[in-house]
Amino acid sequence: MKHRIIFHIDVNSAYLSWEATYRLQHGEVIDLRDIPSIVGGDESKRHGIVLAKSIPTKKYGILTGESLYSARQKCPNLTIVPPNYEMYMKASNSMIDLLKEYSPYIQRYSIDEVFMDYSYNRETNFLDTAYEIKERIKKELGFTVNIGIGPNKLLAKMASDFEKPDKVHTLFHYEIRDKMWPLPISKLFMIGSRTKKKLNKRGIFTIGELAKLDKDYIYAWLKKPGILIWEYANGMENSHVRNGSLPIKSIGNSTTTAYDVDNKRESHMFLLALSEMVGMRIRNLEQCGKVISVSLKNNQFYSYSHQRKLNLPTDSTNVIYKTVKQLFDEMWQGEPIRRFSISISELYSNDFQQLSLLEDYSEKDKILDRTIDKIRNKYGYNSIIRSCFLHSGIKPIIGGVVTETDYPMMSIFL
C-alpha cells in the first residue's frame, strides 16, 4: 500500500500505571502515580533495579535501571513495590483485545508497546480513531497511553515519545524537519550512550545534523551501522506490522553443579555455558531483551541476585555473557557456589531492530551467532563448542527449552 498509517501505542510508565490501576480497583486510596514511587525488585533482599517510576520521582533524579539502594538514598520516603508480571501481562492482553476492534494488523513489540497498521481503514479519520482509542483505554482499562502516528513504525514510535503522558502525536515525512531534526541525537531510536559520544565527538548533536551528513562519509566512518542510523535520521524504515505476540515474560536457564565451585574461572565457564543456551533460545524466538539477571546459590543454600538494564535490547550471546560476567564479579563474595542462574527479560520483537548495530556491535559476531545456531540446530549442540571447554569437565552448553538433554531444539530456520 502506497500510503501507510501506522500507530504506535505506548503505555505511560507501564508497570507503575498497571500497579496503580490494580491497587485502586482493589480499594487503595493513594494512587502510586501521584507520589514518589517505583516498581523494582525485592528491597528486603537488597537486590533489584528500578523498572518503572512515577512522574513525581523525576525531581529526585531517580533513573530507570539504577539500583533500589541508590533510589532510596535519593528519596528516603520512596514507595517501592515489587513487580507482578502475571498481572502486567493480563493488563497488556486487555489492551490488545481492545485494539483488535480497530485493526487485525497488530504487533506486540513489547509488553507495553504495540504497533497497529490502520492503513486499510479509509472510513474513519485516523486522528479521530487515535483519540478514541486513547480515551477508551483510560476509561475502560484505567491507565493512559501515548499514541504516535506515522507512515512507518520508526516515525510512529518516535512520535509516541514526544510530550507525555496521555497524548497523541503525528510524525509524517513532511513534519520531520520541524518535529524530529531539532531533537538531540540521543532521542533518535536506537541511539545509545556510546553512539551518542561517537557522534558528539564529530560535532553531531542533533538528529538533523546526522540526517544531513553525506551518506558515503558516514558509511566510510561507521559502515553498516552508520547507514542504518542515517536512514533513521531521515525517517526511512519499511518493516511490516506483523501479527504476533510476546507471551514469554523472560528467557532463562540454571544449573546446579555437582561440586562446590570456588573460583572465578570455573564460575565464568558455567555462566558462559548458560549464556550460550539463552542466546540461542532468544534468537530462535526472534526476540531480544533489555534486562539481564544473575542469581547464585552458595553451598549454604543462601541465594542472592543482581540485574542490569542495557541501553539497547540484545540477542547476542557475547553481550549476554559479558553482562552476566560483570554482574557475577560485582556480587560474588568468594564463597563456594552450587547453583548458577541467568535470565533475560523485558523482551522486544527483533524485526524492527535486528539491524540496530549501535552499541558494542560486531557484524561478524551477529553473522557468527546465526551461523552457529543453524549448525547446532541441524547437527546437535556439541557440533560447535568453544575451545575453553575442552577437557574442562564442564558442559559447553547448559540448559534447554524443556530438558537439559542434548537434542537440537526446534528452529525457525529452514
Side-chain angles (χ1 to χ4, degrees):
M1 180 167 290
K2 187 176 180 180
H3 301 291
R4 294 203 299 165
I5 300 294
I6 307 299
F7 286 17
H8 179 253
I9 301 96
D10 186 9
V11 181
N12 301 134
S13 300
Y15 290 177
L16 192 117
S17 291
W18 290 333
E19 281 287 347
T21 301
Y22 179 83
R23 289 166 182 247
L24 290 172
Q25 291 171 346
H26 289 77
E28 285 275 0
V29 177
I30 298 176
D31 190 333
L32 291 174
R33 292 167 289 193
D34 296 334
I35 62 173
S37 64
I38 64 171
V39 173
D42 188 339
E43 190 177 21
S44 66
K45 296 180 180 178
R46 297 188 177 185
H47 70 74
I49 58 175
V50 177
L51 297 173
K53 61 185 187 296
S54 65
I55 292 177
T57 62
K58 287 185 177 181
K59 68 178 181 180
Y60 296 96
I62 294 173
L63 303 174
T64 300
E66 75 173 290
S67 69
L68 298 187
Y69 175 81
S70 174
R72 175 69 74 187
Q73 294 297 108
K74 294 178 180 179
C75 180
N77 66 330
L78 185 67
T79 297
I80 301 176
V81 296
N84 182 344
Y85 294 108
E86 183 177 356
M87 185 261 287
Y88 303 157
M89 189 59 71
K90 289 180 179 178
S92 178
N93 288 339
S94 296
M95 182 174 70
I96 295 291
D97 290 340
L98 186 150
L99 294 175
K100 286 179 179 177
E101 298 178 27
Y102 295 89
S103 173
Y105 305 99
I106 292 173
Q107 177 182 347
R108 180 182 270 153
Y109 178 62
S110 69
I111 191 172
D112 60 341
E113 296 178 70
V114 178
F115 288 108
M116 185 176 82
D117 194 333
Y118 199 67
S119 309
Y120 303 89
N121 191 324
R122 297 300 184 184
E123 298 177 0
T124 308
N125 180 274
F126 62 84
L127 271 177
D128 292 340
T129 299
Y131 280 102
E132 179 181 313
I133 290 172
K134 182 177 74 72
E135 293 304 313
R136 281 192 63 193
I137 290 174
K138 181 163 56 175
K139 182 179 179 179
E140 298 175 23
L141 303 182
F143 53 89
T144 64
V145 299
N146 262 40
I147 299 180
I149 307 171
N152 57 39
K153 285 156 69 173
L154 169 73
L155 294 180
K157 182 167 174 57
M158 289 291 298
S160 70
D161 283 335
F162 292 160
E163 184 188 0
K164 296 181 178 182
D166 198 23
K167 303 289 184 182
V168 174
H169 300 284
T170 63
L171 184 57
F172 291 96
H173 284 111
Y174 64 87
E175 298 176 294
I176 289 176
R177 182 179 298 273
D178 294 330
K179 288 186 176 182
M180 191 170 83
W181 280 2
L183 297 176
I185 193 65
S186 59
K187 295 294 184 181
L188 183 62
F189 177 62
M190 295 308 295
I191 293 287
S193 57
R194 295 189 180 186
T195 305
K196 173 179 175 289
K197 289 178 182 178
K198 287 181 184 178
L199 295 170
N200 287 170
K201 284 181 179 179
R202 299 214 179 183
I204 303 163
F205 295 94
T206 68
I207 296 176
E209 289 170 342
L210 172 61
K212 295 172 186 175
L213 288 179
D214 180 77
K215 189 175 181 179
D216 292 335
Y217 166 76
I218 198 164
Y219 178 77
W221 173 26
L222 297 175
K223 304 303 179 186
K224 192 174 181 180
I227 295 299
L228 178 72
I229 60 174
W230 180 85
E231 289 176 347
Y232 280 3
N234 283 283
M236 300 164 63
E237 193 275 325
N238 60 8
S239 64
H240 295 289
V241 174
R242 67 181 189 192
N243 285 324
S245 61
L246 293 168
I248 298 174
K249 295 176 289 188
S250 65
I251 297 168
N253 282 110
S254 62
T255 185
T256 299
T257 62
Y259 58 92
D260 291 345
V261 181
D262 59 3
N263 62 86
K264 187 176 289 188
R265 183 186 68 82
E266 286 190 328
S267 296
H268 286 174
M269 290 177 69
F270 278 107
L271 293 171
L272 175 57
L274 290 167
S275 299
E276 288 274 16
M277 177 56 75
V278 170
M280 286 193 295
R281 289 178 61 191
I282 197 168
R283 289 189 295 272
N284 189 66
L285 293 168
E286 296 186 293
Q287 296 177 15
C288 47
K290 207 168 185 180
V291 176
I292 296 177
S293 305
V294 178
S295 296
L296 305 175
K297 181 180 288 186
N298 64 24
N299 62 346
Q300 301 300 312
F301 301 101
Y302 175 75
S303 299
Y304 53 102
S305 62
H306 225 35
Q307 61 185 171
R308 177 159 297 150
K309 190 165 189 175
L310 305 178
N311 288 325
L312 301 174
T314 189
D315 64 1
S316 165
T317 296
N318 283 341
V319 173
I320 294 169
Y321 171 60
K322 177 183 177 182
T323 305
V324 300
K325 186 169 71 170
Q326 290 173 346
L327 290 169
F328 174 83
D329 290 348
E330 292 171 8
M331 68 191 290
W332 186 47
Q333 300 168 13
E335 81 282 27
I337 300 297
R338 290 302 301 268
R339 186 174 180 84
F340 297 86
S341 302
I342 71 171
S343 67
I344 185 167
S345 58
E346 197 165 317
L347 304 182
Y348 295 79
S349 171
N350 75 354
D351 70 326
F352 184 33
Q353 57 189 54
Q354 61 185 349
L355 295 179
S356 301
L357 323 176
L358 307 177
E359 304 271 305
D360 286 337
Y361 174 80
S362 166
E363 188 170 357
K364 291 182 179 179
D365 280 353
K366 196 167 190 74
I367 295 171
L368 186 61
D369 272 342
R370 300 289 178 178
T371 303
I372 290 174
D373 287 351
K374 290 181 180 180
I375 294 171
R376 285 174 173 168
N377 284 322
K378 186 172 183 179
Y379 297 106
Y381 289 163
N382 291 326
S383 55
I384 294 182
I385 66 172
R386 301 195 187 224
S387 61
C388 65
F389 290 103
L390 289 172
H391 314 299
S392 69
I394 298 173
K395 291 176 62 176
I397 302 174
I398 296 175
V401 179
V402 180
T403 69
E404 290 194 7
T405 52
D406 295 323
Y407 292 104
M409 62 183 173
M410 294 180 65
S411 174
I412 58 171
F413 300 115
L414 297 177

